[in-house]
Amino acid sequence: MASNQELQLDHDRFARTGVAEAVYAPGKSPAQCAAAVAGLLSRVATGPVLLTRASAPQVEAALARNPGATATPVGEDAHGRPLRTLAWRALAPAPGSVLLLTAGTADLPVAREAEAVLAAYGHATTLVADVGVAGLHRVLAQQARLAEARVVIVAAGMEGALASVVTGLTDAPVIAVPTSTGYGATFGGVSALLAMITSCAAGVAVVNIDDGFGAGTIAARIARQSA
Amino acid sequence: MASNQELQLDHDRFARTGVAEAVYAPGKSPAQCAAAVAGLLSRVATGPVLLTRASAPQVEAALARNPGATATPVGEDAHGRPLRTLAWRALAPAPGSVLLLTAGTADLPVAREAEAVLAAYGHATTLVADVGVAGLHRVLAQQARLAEARVVIVAAGMEGALASVVTGLTDAPVIAVPTSTGYGATFGGVSALLAMITSCAAGVAVVNIDDGFGAGTIAARIARQSA
Amino acid sequence: MASNQELQLDHDRFARTGVAEAVYAPGKSPAQCAAAVAGLLSRVATGPVLLTRASAPQVEAALARNPGATATPVGEDAHGRPLRTLAWRALAPAPGSVLLLTAGTADLPVAREAEAVLAAYGHATTLVADVGVAGLHRVLAQQARLAEARVVIVAAGMEGALASVVTGLTDAPVIAVPTSTGYGATFGGVSALLAMITSCAAGVAVVNIDDGFGAGTIAARIARQSA
Amino acid sequence: MASNQELQLDHDRFARTGVAEAVYAPGKSPAQCAAAVAGLLSRVATGPVLLTRASAPQVEAALARNPGATATPVGEDAHGRPLRTLAWRALAPAPGSVLLLTAGTADLPVAREAEAVLAAYGHATTLVADVGVAGLHRVLAQQARLAEARVVIVAAGMEGALASVVTGLTDAPVIAVPTSTGYGATFGGVSALLAMITSCAAGVAVVNIDDGFGAGTIAARIARQSA
Amino acid sequence: MASNQELQLDHDRFARTGVAEAVYAPGKSPAQCAAAVAGLLSRVATGPVLLTRASAPQVEAALARNPGATATPVGEDAHGRPLRTLAWRALAPAPGSVLLLTAGTADLPVAREAEAVLAAYGHATTLVADVGVAGLHRVLAQQARLAEARVVIVAAGMEGALASVVTGLTDAPVIAVPTSTGYGATFGGVSALLAMITSCAAGVAVVNIDDGFGAGTIAARIARQSA
Amino acid sequence: MASNQELQLDHDRFARTGVAEAVYAPGKSPAQCAAAVAGLLSRVATGPVLLTRASAPQVEAALARNPGATATPVGEDAHGRPLRTLAWRALAPAPGSVLLLTAGTADLPVAREAEAVLAAYGHATTLVADVGVAGLHRVLAQQARLAEARVVIVAAGMEGALASVVTGLTDAPVIAVPTSTGYGATFGGVSALLAMITSCAAGVAVVNIDDGFGAGTIAARIARQSA
Amino acid sequence: MASNQELQLDHDRFARTGVAEAVYAPGKSPAQCAAAVAGLLSRVATGPVLLTRASAPQVEAALARNPGATATPVGEDAHGRPLRTLAWRALAPAPGSVLLLTAGTADLPVAREAEAVLAAYGHATTLVADVGVAGLHRVLAQQARLAEARVVIVAAGMEGALASVVTGLTDAPVIAVPTSTGYGATFGGVSALLAMITSCAAGVAVVNIDDGFGAGTIAARIARQSA
Amino acid sequence: MASNQELQLDHDRFARTGVAEAVYAPGKSPAQCAAAVAGLLSRVATGPVLLTRASAPQVEAALARNPGATATPVGEDAHGRPLRTLAWRALAPAPGSVLLLTAGTADLPVAREAEAVLAAYGHATTLVADVGVAGLHRVLAQQARLAEARVVIVAAGMEGALASVVTGLTDAPVIAVPTSTGYGATFGGVSALLAMITSCAAGVAVVNIDDGFGAGTIAARIARQSA
């Protein structure tokens, strides 16, 4: 009947993958969040450490034990409480610019989480919000930036059409993030996800709904390749 | 690492499409709502400006900075808080009557949002509530109005059968709005949406669940054509 | 135990709705198709009669008994057999131009079915194929036509983004037809349907997947209003 | 390693439930179908025996060993091959009239399977096809029959709105059968099923898609109660 | 721009269908609920009037204006607030017993709403809770009642297997109500709905998830037939 | 009109199946929970009694009437309130070790519920948390334990890949529990459920989302066989 | 541009997991099937080798190169062509009886595939077909076998209720296999899968639809534990 | 009534995006395929031209008019007929190695389509098949290749777990392609898609089911960046 639980942390991921383990906060107690971050900071010698989608008590506990992080608001949980993603020990800026575009203002928290991840890994970013396809001149005005970008992240909810339009305007790889913006048949981002994954424009790949962290991580992997 | 965000507003949409950009409130801060409305009012010379699905704090901020709007209750958000759609600078009434029918009383907020959009564009409307097909004589009593209408909007939840019945009783184009009225296998309006989109009666097209704004907008486009 | 079946035809629909009953061929025997068309032609004094989605044997039987129809290929049934939509007694051309746009060549049969319905009701149409958003200049080249159109029909499969882009470029009402073009997560047109119904651009409404007949019918109702 | 398979037949179901076990043909070999029917006929003293959804080879084998059944076409399998439902030893006619209505001609095979089950149990039926709601006068013309019926079966595909309309026009219990008639977002009958199960009219219950056998069986149970 | 709303009530439904219009409370204001009930009570001469799924403020308002109803708890709304169904002017008891079975205690509110409807129409009922199939002896102990029943209602959540088992044990028509009892892949009652609609036992038909009102209404229609 | 409700408890299940009836708390009043537990404890002579997924008031009432249970936190209900599973009268420890693995810390409550069930039946368990496949060395470090285990339970959310990896590393039967950990397209555990049920590794079977109780029960059945 | 493909076979799986790698035939050429089997037979010293769901040409090629297998019919592919599962080098019979139950005759091919896997691993089996819950006495007649079984496999389509009933009648672990038997809302086995995974009876776990191979494999793992 | 169709080709896409327009064959006649390819070859000066998912008649017509393409088998259409992707005018090999991994042999056609696209753009590739996670040593044996790769493509069906495992073993960006390999609850690739998009490992993005073309295109965009 003995129960022998051992918490397993992944201390060598940065060495192996260039990406430190990010601690996913939901479902953890504030103390577990703080301890997981502390473990990574003390045992992994270099590289950023992230705590993603943390609630206010989790943020408070994590910062009390591990000061010095930057915090980015990343939307709300199912009960309407704000979430933040924290980053410790950002790398020095590296070359390779990443362009982030959002269809609407409501998509900004997702794009900002991606930006926070990229900043932690030292990549320069440009974020332009509110260029949805209903007013096409807005995205057409970004053609110079699209031509220069090494990677493009597109965050869009509703029907997610911006991903297809952008992919047709650039020769950079495009990472699309469906967002839960919208109501009714948007189904919390499912319609945007389906639209992005079935895009008529080749050159785009998709991450999970509202997953700014995932978009930022793969964009960092690509940006590092092109450095 | 520089982050260069620029808010993009679509100032020439009224000139281009005859429809001013409506500001979609969810996901924006109250201040962002107020600023977006102000930007549109100051830079677009004519035509209505709308702020859709705004919460109480968003309404308050938008009206404080931009007085003079009419407000229409349009249901609740996921946490049960009331939403309103605001309209500034309604056009003078134009000819072309639009008939709005609802299956039940619970569908009224959706129909009222459509009515508010049509009013902003100066179109005369007639709204008749509670003519669901379970008591068929109620919709049969509207045959004179159906014969005169240039466009018909049908808002219905549950199984949405009213759209099919109405389409068979009129030669006007019918815009169907599925609503989230009902419970269980209504799936928040999905069953009504599917029923309306697979209607055995041709002459009807469908907008998003609870999307009174979308229904009103396309009805205004049709009504203007027939003016 | 007596079974008393009586086939019911809807002989006064043209008078009531301006749209004759179209006979939906699938599930009917060739003889039933031929008889249904004959019944409508003989008992309804004026206006077009349509037989939609008919297989080769159904077409043959219908034409043998009722010569003089025009036939339009409208894709295939689940077993890969070609389908056609037939029209008898087209009306004389009426004013009011309808613009039909398709994202790809594979969407053409759906657009052609809509065009056939509009032609039967005497409406002038312009059909431009293959203006999908992956090459945005193609749809931008249609801006003059978009400005003149009284109604626009957009047929698109995959992610269906063309509907949103077009709705932002015109002030005419837009009828979107999702098509089953594509594979994988297009789910036979469902992803396009969801994208179109959740469009960030207001002014568009949606009909069933591959339903060129439905799109043509509501477009005819709108075009007649604007005549 | 011994494998000891014993086929289990349910020989006392007619005594227990008033309904003999129907043999569901799909997945059985022709010989298994013939043997299952023979077993029921020899061991159950009275009452009808049914073989449902049988393919041509299954029908042939079953009739060769067990002559004297009546056969009803009930549509096609997934590969387009015709299916039939067979009935042996029908009961003498019993009082209690059942009204069957279909929205379209394509729904007839489903209604006919229900009619065959009711006939086997000796219940008088009236079947009226093609009274779909797009031409409302067709179902309104059935009001006298609706007033007399003790049970009503409604078979409809596409959006299935006929079930709601009929339930509002009668005080008899209504059994709704969604059918797979239609294409696109009908999803093989799912949209009709959802519409019927969420009907705004109380007094209706639903059986499986295309399940004329199930509809006939529960209608027979109701009709027997009212005898 | 005139808006002319007229509330339409269905005052002759009891005469036409033997079932008075039930007022569906969700989406109505307390005052609208009270007025709708008052309208029915004053203008319909006889028969019960129901207000279904009313919140506490709706109940309070309805009773203040229309005293004398019986109230039945029928579960909670999406925000965890209790709902009740009210009935005014119950009929005198009529013959014809209805048996209600639930799989678990959590299914009781649904069965009680059905019981309240049947009571309003004067039908005797027997309710036996907690006879789920995991302990099969519990339902086998009900065989005498199943043999006597003229109609059976089965309320079950999770996998809803009770409906199939009961249908095999009785020759009465069975109305199955899927409930939202359970978690995970029960999907709020969808799995039970699918299981009930695909039952291997013929003689059962299904109403909406948690729809005790609908189950009670069709059972009343059947019970009246057998009176 | 008499309503005769009789609560049915399944008192002989332990004798029949070796597993006492667990009382499922949701939907029951605190008093009903307390009474159901008391009934089982008094009438069933031996073996554990469980109350699963109980809210704080339900726990309090059950313990007040039936002291002496052990309580295990098992996550939250839909409104964010904590749930616990209680166990009375645990059996003496039996041989047969069960290994429980979780992909992340957030999956721990589910694993702990399984562990509580196994402890109640007297089976020794080892629980190792946080061995998700993103850091493969973590699960590879468990190979000795995997070789010794007689049964393995894997609790994982998100994409649930741990189940496939573990099944390929052991010759013990694997019970996979999808959890609702994650957001967006995890759909509350559906994606993990689908991944686990379609595993490329044979030797694994799946229980309901977050169903630690079900996983523990079948593991106890297996462990008893191997004792 | 060099493409260096190397086929990787898993030659040590039997040693590691007690289960040899089964070759999944669909998507492989006949020659690839034959070579994969030959590779396993020559390089793995002991234990059975399986080729699952092979078409006629795949069977022919595999047997031509590797004679001596036993073949079990396991249903059809999407185009109606028969599939078989082959087994080479079955183990000598081992103790530990496994009971296989099917709801209907159509579920037999799935149960037979499970039986073939168990036979290959030397486990005694008893297979009883056609004990579906619509005639409950059929499964009740199996109580003696259920009491003796060390593992039970239940194969059922439609609503899959047999799994719940059986789990309540035995204290052995139950492996449920949903089958694609049925039509309409069975959705090719999805409804049975959902019903089984949400069973009100604890002690059951579920494998993929029609996955007799998976059910047989986990049952073999359990049976070996209890040997 | 004039119909003015103009086929629009996107001749400058290679200049704009570095990727020539690929002609999507399904839904086009053989002659349309041949003409579309010819148009691109004659009007676009440089760079590859692709015809994707072409049937035998489409391939024949395209090659007759445009000789010199390389052809890659890419699976079958819904009727079981083989499809091929053709490439004309491949670029000279460029630096930057891409690693392609498949879980099983059945995933090879998808990986080969990606390889064909990469070859057309001159990128060196390494393809290793059959490294599914059920035998983990197979993918662990690829660690040296994973360390060297600049981009990794993972093609996997069933539960798609390989994508998560690979993403944890490399610091290169990973493009995951779900495939339709498997049956039952794989739902033609949907389960793999959901698993990949919800991966617990960050650094992976997903393209459409079976979309080797899309995976190859974005991998080429990434590889070019890192050149």
Side-chain angles (χ1 to χ4, degrees), chain H residues 110 154-157 176-180 189-190 192-194 196 206-211:
Chain H
V110 173
V154 175
V177 201
T179 74
S180 53
V190 172
L193 190 161
L194 291 176
M196 287 166 166
V206 186
V207 298
N208 194 10
I209 297 166
D210 288 340
D211 190 5

Side-chain angles (χ1 to χ4, degrees), chain C residues 21 134 172 197-198 222:
Chain C
E21 184 174 20
I197 213 110
T198 60
I222 298 172

